[in-house]
Structure formats: C-alpha cells, structure tokens
Amino acid sequence: MKTHFNINFLENATETLRAIAHPIRIAIIDMLNKNEKLSVSEIHEQLQIEQAVASHHLRILKNKNVVVVTREGKNSFYSLSSKDYYTIVEVLTNTL
Amino acid sequence: MKTHFNINFLENATETLRAIAHPIRIAIIDMLNKNEKLSVSEIHEQLQIEQAVASHHLRILKNKNVVVVTREGKNSFYSLSSKDYYTIVEVLTNTL
DNA sequence: TTTAGATATATATATACTTTTATATGGTAA
DNA sequence: TTACCATATAAAAGTATATATATATCTAAA
C-alpha cells in the first residue's frame, strides 16, 4: 500500500480505534471524560458489570495508551490519557 | 450495562469505529478528505492495492454510512458522508 | 501472618474479521 | 450482441476478538 501517511501511523491508529470500539469501552471513556479519575469499583458498579469485565476492558484501553493508571492503596485509579479520545466519541454523537 | 448513553448509540458507535479501524480504510478516508469524490480505480491505483481489495473495503465503509456512492457511467464515485469522519483520523494524528 | 477487599490475569468456546483469489455483474461502445 | 472496462461479490483458510467464569495477585489492617 502507498500513502502519504507512514504505515506505522496507520497501524497505531487502527489499533487505537479497535481498542475504543466496544460499547463498554466507549461508556468507560465517557465516564472518564466527566470524572478526572475513577477506580475499577466505581466503574464496574456504575456500569453494572462484573469487576473482572471492567478490569479486562480497562486493560485493553491501557495497553493502547487511551487511559493511564495510578495505584492508591488498594485502588487503581484510571484516567483518560488525553481528552482527545473523548473527542472521537463526541464526533460520533454528532453524526450518528 | 447501565449508562446515560442509550445502548443503541453505543452499538452504532462501536460498529462505525470498527468500520474505520483498518489501515486501508483510514488511508481511504484521508484520500476522500482531500478529494470531493474518487472512483474505485483512482483509489486502488493510488494506494497500489488490488481492485477487489479496494472495493471490499469501500463496501465496509458504505455499509456503516461513512461513505456514499454515486454511479456515473462505468464508474462508482465515493465520497465521505461527513467531514466528521476525517476528524476522527485527525485526532489520532495529534495523539499518536 | 492471616484475613478481607480490590484488582488483575488465565482459559475456553464461540464468533467475527482479514486476506487472497476467483468469478460475477453492470455499463458502454463497436 | 459481443467485447471490454469498471466494479462488486463469493468462498476458504487463517487469525483475532468477545464473553463468561474461575482463579490469582496485591495491599492494608487486624
């Protein structure tokens, strides 16, 4: 394939979009846009999903650097690594 | 799952992001941002991919309404259904 | 150092996507 | 109608992702 983008950007962009592309993960990004940081418990309780499920999806987002984690005692607090990731969700609220 | 988004939006947003999430499809969205409309030939020749491959990916984008098609004689011309879809790619050029 | 709370990881089955190649359809002009 | 160009669809094998459940690790306090 030949494009003015380098192939590396296209692959990173693909992986980031796939990381975001899941109903639970979009909902998490929305929650993290409204709250500076949230623990796994707060997320799984508010969304009413299993703890293991929340943790699983958070890991996928963390692996692609969409979110960052900081430990504080027993809790892991997750935050958006950039508000830009919410912009992606926001754009879709306009077009869909 | 419980969120202030309705579940229908989350599913549509997921499907749209998955439609975009592919190196070839991101490259196509970029081309269509720079050009009002392009034929399948123009796309497959510029990207140097097989015609069938271009057509295949264009169909995926069309199915999720990211692009629209108009026939003119032998050619099918594809356009972005909204510049907003390029915004998603643009955001990623900032963060990645 | 054991207990309990909070979070993370592993595994398995099912489902979906990608890639490649072959073939079919649509449109136009000779 | 035949031939040709442009586009679309189909099929198969390989690869990746999702979902659900079980279990492990980490941390703080008793």
Side-chain angles (χ1 to χ4, degrees):
Chain A
M1 184 179 30
K2 192 193 162 196
T3 130
H4 83 279
F5 282 136
N6 73 51
I7 195 70
N8 218 41
F9 165 75
L10 291 176
E11 278 167 11
N12 286 336
T14 295
E15 288 177 11
T16 300
L17 289 177
R18 307 200 109 226
I20 298 173
H22 189 287
I24 288 176
R25 300 196 290 266
I26 294 172
I28 288 174
I29 289 170
D30 178 54
M31 289 178 75
L32 292 177
N33 179 58
K34 298 201 174 89
N35 303 275
E36 268 311 303
K37 61 180 189 173
L38 292 171
S39 67
V40 178
S41 296
E42 290 172 315
I43 290 168
H44 98 252
E45 283 164 15
Q46 276 205 45
L47 292 182
Q48 296 182 224
I49 56 178
E50 293 291 311
Q51 176 277 320
V53 172
S55 190
H56 169 73
H57 288 292
L58 284 165
R59 179 157 71 146
I60 289 170
L61 291 172
K62 191 188 71 178
N63 284 344
K64 298 304 171 200
N65 255 291
V66 176
V67 300
V68 292
V69 205
T70 53
R71 263 253 174 196
E72 291 183 27
K74 295 183 202 164
N75 299 300
S76 289
F77 286 96
Y78 285 82
S79 317
L80 278 186
S81 71
S82 160
K83 285 281 179 190
D84 283 344
Y85 293 113
Y86 180 71
T87 305
I88 291 172
V89 173
E90 200 175 27
V91 165
L92 292 169
T93 63
N94 300 332
T95 54
L96 297 185
Chain B
M1 187 180 26
K2 193 193 164 197
T3 134
H4 82 280
F5 282 137
N6 73 51
I7 194 70
N8 217 40
F9 165 74
L10 291 176
E11 278 167 9
N12 286 336
T14 295
E15 289 177 11
T16 300
L17 289 178
R18 307 198 110 224
I20 296 173
H22 189 287
I24 289 176
R25 300 197 287 267
I26 293 173
I28 289 173
I29 289 170
D30 178 54
M31 288 177 76
L32 291 177
N33 180 57
K34 297 201 174 90
N35 304 274
E36 268 311 303
K37 59 179 190 175
L38 293 170
S39 67
V40 177
S41 296
E42 290 173 315
I43 291 168
H44 98 251
E45 284 164 15
Q46 276 205 46
L47 292 182
Q48 296 181 222
I49 56 178
E50 293 292 311
Q51 176 276 319
V53 172
S55 189
H56 170 72
H57 288 292
L58 285 165
R59 181 157 70 144
I60 289 170
L61 292 172
K62 191 188 69 179
N63 284 344
K64 297 304 171 201
N65 255 290
V66 175
V67 299
V68 292
V69 205
T70 53
R71 265 252 172 195
E72 290 181 26
K74 294 182 203 165
N75 298 300
S76 289
F77 286 96
Y78 285 83
S79 316
L80 278 185
S81 70
S82 160
K83 286 281 180 189
D84 284 343
Y85 293 112
Y86 180 71
T87 304
I88 291 173
V89 174
E90 200 175 28
V91 165
L92 293 170
T93 65
N94 301 332
T95 54
L96 298 184

